[in-house]
């Protein structure tokens, strides 16, 4: 549940179009010459797309594929993926609410090649992708093309998954074009909510570096102006006095003077230079800075999600103890006390954390976690797992959750009948609420359930049925002892599984096969396409 991401996505993408560049004398940046679906009529999006497809003058001599972000009126992010192929002379753009960068970058390449090689099959293939819906958590969607000889897999990202090298496109480019020292400097500037500019002469390098830097803020999310690619027509935004994180093409940045920019942090991704009027790295706790430098100094260890975990580990040490400041009274709303949080932290971290608590990125993080707890949804992600791992390593076991868990149960009992009770205690059971405590390694094994929980019909929860007793802190996972023996598709490594087991969480797997949905069963392969979809196109002369 994140304020910037739409949680009720029904389609893999919202809009696709092909754009030609403007010629001399034309006022627009470009013009849409073909689009899908015909019913998409959002004028704000349609008018902005050409500016992001052709943000400034550039040499189109090699394939470029990059992403950009459009912010809607409700502050939700729409992600645009743009593909420039010098052989076609046009740009292809896809708009989606899903931040699945690697998946859509691969999908755009398939679309580009298919459109060039088999124009007759391109339209029905795109139509099928549009109409099939979004895979459930842990599930995937396979689409066939080239008369069924090839397929494309939409794999929904796992909840326990961080950007990895070399699999993650954005992180790969960021790691290759930004050195460790500058990564730390950018990270520190983001934790100070500065006005931050990335620049490069290549759109793909620029947008990927901005997106990857933003990902290092996880579990927090940048709450201010966020523009991975800034068109020339929007350059006035660089004069805005509020925090921003913006990717500025080199040609656009050259049109701005230093006085116009003011106090701005600038990272040049081409020559690997970092310029800032502030010393944000010095303001960070120095033991954490030393830890970053040491862990980032050995490139041979950086394969996989190691780099992502290095930055996540710093945030775990800074804010992972937020639960120690959770306050709850029977029947009242769960709250969070900032003074308790500061007092629970190490003295060396307190000055930095006092400043950090004033940041919007931190305030939004706390608000969203409290909202999930107060609505009874609970949550589980790599941040929470890493926090458990750090607590185990340092011997800090965290707070006691008996009253907290009872509070969550009471809130579930007061909700409407369609919402599943996340804690189901039978009258004759012998275990206590402590047995649900995720930090209680002595929790008693749960007996097999007499009845299965019924999944909520609410689309906004986007959940699958939860058989048996479910830990309220991990609602998307079910203990392995309560499920038929089955190998999980998205497993953490053995150490992580052992850690979860030690704290009474046992082994958890995504319930990924029980609710593929009617759309998956009604369309079993790529040959079943609706011929009427061919008429759902707009072509401009």
């Amino acid at each position: 549940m994140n304020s910037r991401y739409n949680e009720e996505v029904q389609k893999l993408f919202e809009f696709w179009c092909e754009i030609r560049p403007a010629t001399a004398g034309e006022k627009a940046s470009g013009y849409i010459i073909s689009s899908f679906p015909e019913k998409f009529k959002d004028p704000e999006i349609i008018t902005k797309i050409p500016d992001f497809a052709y943000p400034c003058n550039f040499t189109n001599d090699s394939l470029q594929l990059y992403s950009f972000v459009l912010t809607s009126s409700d502050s939700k992010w729409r992600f645009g993926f743009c593909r420039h192929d010098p052989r076609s002379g046009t740009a292809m753009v896809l708009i989606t609410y899903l931040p699945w960068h690697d998946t859509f970058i691969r999908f755009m390449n398939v679309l580009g090649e298919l459109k060039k090689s088999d124009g007759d099959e391109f339209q029905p293939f795109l139509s099928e992708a549009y109409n099939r819906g979004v895979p459930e958590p842990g599930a995937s969607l396979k689409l066939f093309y080239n008369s069924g000889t090839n397929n494309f897999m939409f794999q929904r990202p796992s909840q326990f998954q961080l950007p990895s090298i070399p699999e993650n496109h954005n992180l790969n480019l960021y790691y290759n074009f930004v050195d460790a020292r500058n990564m730390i400097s950018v990270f520190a500037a983001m934790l100070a909510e500065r006005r931050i500019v990335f620049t490069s002469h290549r759109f793909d390098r620029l947008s990927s570096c901005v997106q990857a830097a933003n990902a290092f803020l996880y579990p927090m999310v940048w709450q201010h102006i966020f523009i991975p690619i800034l068109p020339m027509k929007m350059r006035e935004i660089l004069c805005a006095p509020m925090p921003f994180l913006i990717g500025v093409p080199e040609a656009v940045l050259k049109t701005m003077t230093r006085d116009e920019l003011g106090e701005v942090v600038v990272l040049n991704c081409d020559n690997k230079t970092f310029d800032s009027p502030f010393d944000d790295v010095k303001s960070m706790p120095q033991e954490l800075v030393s830890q970053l430098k040491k862990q980032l100094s050995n490139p041979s260890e950086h394969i996989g999600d190691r780099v992502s975990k290095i930055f996540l580990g710093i945030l775990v040490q800074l804010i992972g103890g937020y639960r120690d400041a959770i306050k709850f009274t029977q029947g009242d709303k769960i709250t969070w006390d900032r003074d308790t949080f500061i007092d629970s932290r190490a003295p060396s971290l307190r000055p930095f954390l006092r400043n950090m608590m004033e940041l919007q990125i931190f305030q939004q993080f706390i608000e969203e976690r409290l909202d999930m707890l107060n609505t009874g949804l609970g949550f589980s992600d790599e941040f929470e797992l890493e926090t458990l791992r750090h607590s185990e390593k340092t011997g800090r076991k965290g707070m006691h959750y008996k009253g907290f868990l009872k509070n969550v149960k009471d809130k579930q009992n007061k909700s409407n009948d369609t919402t599943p009770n996340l804690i189901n205690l039978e009258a004759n059971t012998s275990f206590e609420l402590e047995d649900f405590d995720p930090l209680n390694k002595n929790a008693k094994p749960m007996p097999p359930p007499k009845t299965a929980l019924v999944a909520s019909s609410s689309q906004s929860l986007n959940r699958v049925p939860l058989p048996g007793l479910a830990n309220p802190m991990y609602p998307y996972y079910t203990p392995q002892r309560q499920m038929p023996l089955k190998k999980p598709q998205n497993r953490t490594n053995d150490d992580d599984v052992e850690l979860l087991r030690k704290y009474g969480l046992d082994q958890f797997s995504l319930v990924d096969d029980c609710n593929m949905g009617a759309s998956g069963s009604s369309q079993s392969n790529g040959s079943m396409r609706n011929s009427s979809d061919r008429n759902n196109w707009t072509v401009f002369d």
Side-chain angles (χ1 to χ4, degrees):
M1 181 178 290
N2 190 287
S3 64
R4 290 297 190 177
Y5 299 113
N6 191 326
E7 299 291 334
E8 300 181 1
V9 183
Q10 304 298 322
K11 300 286 187 182
L12 284 170
F13 66 93
E14 304 296 311
F15 186 59
W16 172 93
C17 64
E18 185 176 10
I19 307 169
R20 70 164 178 85
T23 57
E26 293 181 327
K27 294 182 179 181
S29 302
Y31 295 88
I32 296 176
I33 58 176
S34 180
S35 68
F36 175 87
E38 185 179 32
K39 64 182 180 182
F40 189 88
K41 299 294 185 182
D42 190 327
E44 184 177 3
I45 299 298
I46 292 176
T47 56
K48 284 182 178 180
I49 288 177
D51 293 336
F52 287 92
Y54 295 95
C56 60
N57 292 328
F58 70 102
T59 303
N60 190 12
D61 57 359
S62 63
L63 182 68
Q64 287 202 69
L65 217 164
Y66 61 90
S67 63
F68 58 90
V69 171
L70 301 173
T71 305
S72 58
S73 57
D74 59 356
S75 297
K76 302 297 184 185
W77 284 340
R78 275 189 174 113
F79 296 89
F81 294 89
C82 182
R83 185 179 191 269
H84 281 281
D85 188 341
R87 296 171 296 177
S88 67
T90 61
M92 186 182 294
V93 173
L94 184 140
I95 304 296
T96 177
Y97 278 111
L98 299 171
W100 302 354
H101 289 82
D102 297 310
T103 297
F104 283 108
I105 285 175
R106 292 188 294 107
F107 185 59
M108 290 292 284
N109 279 328
V110 170
L111 290 179
E113 294 303 317
L114 188 59
K115 193 174 191 301
K116 180 180 65 175
S117 62
D118 192 347
D120 292 337
E121 193 169 2
F122 173 79
Q123 293 185 5
F125 175 72
L126 186 63
S127 299
E128 184 178 8
Y130 179 81
N131 289 309
R132 287 290 293 274
V134 180
E136 294 287 347
S140 61
L141 172 65
K142 183 180 292 186
L143 301 177
F144 292 86
Y145 61 98
N146 285 342
S147 301
T149 59
N150 299 96
N151 67 79
F152 182 86
M153 182 78 73
F154 281 96
Q155 179 70 50
R156 184 159 184 154
S158 168
Q159 197 165 0
F160 287 100
Q161 186 173 348
L162 294 173
S164 299
I165 297 173
E167 294 83 5
N168 186 275
H169 175 81
N170 292 336
L171 181 55
N172 252 344
L173 290 182
Y174 192 45
Y175 184 80
N176 285 320
F177 290 98
V178 180
D179 58 34
R181 182 183 62 179
N182 289 340
M183 282 187 185
I184 296 173
S185 298
V186 170
F187 184 67
M190 295 181 71
L191 291 183
E193 291 189 335
R194 301 298 185 191
R195 301 166 67 245
I196 306 171
V197 165
F198 283 49
T199 188
S200 172
H201 74 284
R202 287 191 62 89
F203 301 152
D204 51 359
R205 183 182 306 165
L206 182 58
S207 68
S208 290
C209 288
V210 173
Q211 297 278 14
N214 180 55
F216 283 161
L217 272 184
Y218 167 81
M220 300 182 293
V221 177
W222 188 255
Q223 297 296 320
H224 307 281
I225 297 173
F226 180 65
I227 308 175
I229 290 288
L230 182 73
M232 181 73 78
K233 291 184 177 181
M234 297 173 60
R235 62 178 186 153
E236 291 81 7
I237 291 180
L238 294 172
C239 301
M242 67 280 294
F244 54 62
L245 179 59
I246 302 178
V248 185
E250 185 181 59
V252 177
L253 189 61
K254 286 182 177 179
T255 66
M256 304 292 294
T257 67
R258 195 68 188 185
D259 289 340
E260 289 175 319
L261 292 174
E263 291 187 326
V264 64
V265 174
V266 180
L267 172 69
N268 191 309
C269 303
D270 294 337
N271 58 29
K272 300 185 178 182
T273 59
F274 179 85
D275 181 32
S276 173
F278 313 101
D279 195 351
D280 294 318
V281 174
K282 187 177 181 179
S283 300
M284 289 184 63
Q286 289 307 293
E287 63 266 34
L288 299 186
V289 174
S290 298
Q291 180 180 324
L292 277 172
K293 291 179 178 178
K294 180 180 179 180
Q295 293 178 340
L296 291 172
S297 63
N298 192 350
S300 63
E301 299 179 354
H302 295 165
I303 298 299
D305 62 2
R306 174 60 178 162
V307 175
S308 296
K309 282 191 173 180
I310 289 173
F311 285 94
L312 177 59
I314 298 300
L315 291 177
V316 164
Q317 294 175 68
L318 285 172
I319 65 175
Y322 76 96
R323 287 186 179 182
D324 293 345
I326 288 177
K327 302 292 183 181
F328 49 86
T329 304
Q330 183 62 35
D332 292 337
K333 191 173 184 179
I334 298 171
T335 59
W336 187 81
D337 187 81
R338 58 189 297 160
D339 292 333
T340 301
F341 173 68
I342 290 294
D343 292 341
S344 69
R345 300 300 91 199
S348 61
L349 303 181
R350 291 174 187 174
F352 184 78
L353 288 173
R354 286 191 181 95
N355 293 329
M356 191 173 178
M357 285 194 300
E358 304 301 323
L359 303 180
Q360 288 191 32
I361 55 175
F362 179 76
Q363 293 171 5
Q364 187 68 31
F365 164 76
I366 293 296
E367 289 175 7
E368 289 174 352
R369 298 274 158 160
L370 289 180
D371 182 58
M372 286 187 282
L373 295 177
N374 279 307
T375 55
L377 286 178
F379 46 84
S380 173
D381 53 21
E382 185 67 20
F383 171 72
E384 300 293 339
L385 177 60
E386 194 70 21
T387 299
L388 285 179
R389 188 182 295 114
H390 181 70
S391 297
E392 175 75 6
K393 180 180 178 181
T394 59
R396 186 182 181 89
K397 302 304 181 183
M399 65 176 291
H400 187 62
Y401 287 107
K402 178 177 180 179
F404 164 70
L405 291 172
K406 191 173 189 306
N407 190 293
V408 175
K409 178 177 184 294
D410 290 342
K411 290 179 182 299
Q412 279 297 318
N413 289 336
K414 293 177 182 178
S415 62
N416 60 61
D417 294 336
T418 61
T419 303
N421 191 353
L422 295 181
I423 306 178
N424 185 17
L425 296 179
E426 299 289 348
N428 59 352
T429 54
S430 61
F431 51 88
E432 301 293 337
L433 284 171
E434 294 97 320
D435 296 319
F436 289 97
D437 187 345
L439 295 181
N440 180 13
K441 62 181 179 180
N442 297 317
K444 299 177 184 177
M446 300 300 172
K450 294 183 178 181
T451 58
L453 293 176
V454 179
S456 168
S457 60
S458 170
Q459 292 296 326
S460 62
L461 297 182
N462 197 23
R463 288 188 281 185
V464 294
L466 301 176
L469 298 166
N471 191 309
M473 302 302 295
Y474 292 79
Y476 300 124
Y477 292 82
T478 303
Q480 195 74 6
R481 59 175 173 263
Q482 296 171 12
M483 296 179 62
L485 292 177
K486 174 184 173 182
K487 184 178 179 180
Q489 290 186 354
N490 294 298
R491 287 284 303 273
T492 54
N493 61 42
D494 292 340
D495 291 339
D496 294 341
V497 173
E498 182 60 31
L499 179 62
L500 291 172
R501 183 186 299 114
K502 182 174 182 179
Y503 283 100
L505 301 180
D506 203 20
Q507 296 184 21
F508 293 86
S509 64
L510 285 168
V511 187
D512 49 20
D513 292 330
C514 30
N515 220 7
M516 284 296 290
S519 62
S521 59
S522 63
Q523 300 184 43
S524 59
N525 57 59
S527 63
M528 300 179 66
R529 301 187 179 100
N530 190 342
S531 61
S532 63
D533 290 335
R534 294 178 178 268
N535 300 323
N536 198 15
W537 285 74
T538 304
V539 178
F540 299 92
D541 295 328

